[in-house]
């Protein structure tokens, strides 16, 4: 069997190290690895159950986001960065 260095590449056939996200032998999500340790930071706000409807620009910089949450439209402004993520769960 041929060596495969990238299972997401042209062909998944072959043998090689499988690329997974795990910690101490268990599955480790990106939220567990990166987001949860940062939740107490004063410069981070996480809004769940929200759907972004508009990004406010200041020139070419994203300065805010308008979103729907619990049936209400809300707007958040950012001094730094805005990160929009989609949940893997289907609703």
């Amino acid at each position: 069997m041929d060596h495969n260095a990238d299972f997401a590449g042209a062909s998944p056939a072959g043998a090689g190290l499988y690329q997974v996200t795990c910690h101490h032998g268990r599955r480790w999500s990106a939220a567990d690895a990166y987001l949860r340790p940062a939740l107490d930071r004063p410069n981070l706000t996480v809004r769940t159950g929200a759907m972004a409807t508009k990004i406010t620009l200041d020139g070419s910089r994203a300065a805010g986001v308008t979103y729907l949450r619990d049936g209400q439209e809300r707007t958040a402004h950012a001094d730094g960065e805005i990160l929009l993520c989609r949940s893997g769960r289907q609703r």
Side-chain angles (χ1 to χ4, degrees):
M1 187 171 286
D2 291 334
H3 176 261
N4 188 343
D6 183 6
F7 289 103
S11 172
L17 293 176
Y18 197 71
Q19 299 160 350
V20 296
T21 306
C22 52
H23 182 65
H24 297 298
R26 300 191 75 147
R27 166 120 170 48
W28 208 28
S29 71
D32 289 334
Y34 301 102
L35 181 59
R36 286 193 200 347
L39 284 176
D40 290 333
R41 292 182 183 178
N43 63 340
L44 174 66
T45 303
V46 176
R47 298 282 187 247
T48 60
M51 182 178 70
T53 58
K54 178 181 167 184
I55 297 174
T56 304
L57 298 177
D58 180 8
S60 62
R61 181 181 93 73
V65 62
T66 300
Y67 61 95
L68 291 175
R69 186 175 185 203
D70 299 327
Q72 293 186 348
E73 186 175 77
R74 303 168 189 204
T75 301
H77 300 280
D79 294 327
E81 300 165 319
I82 297 172
L83 177 65
L84 303 176
C85 302
R86 182 181 178 275
S87 168
R89 291 178 264 169
Q90 296 296 318
R91 296 183 190 245

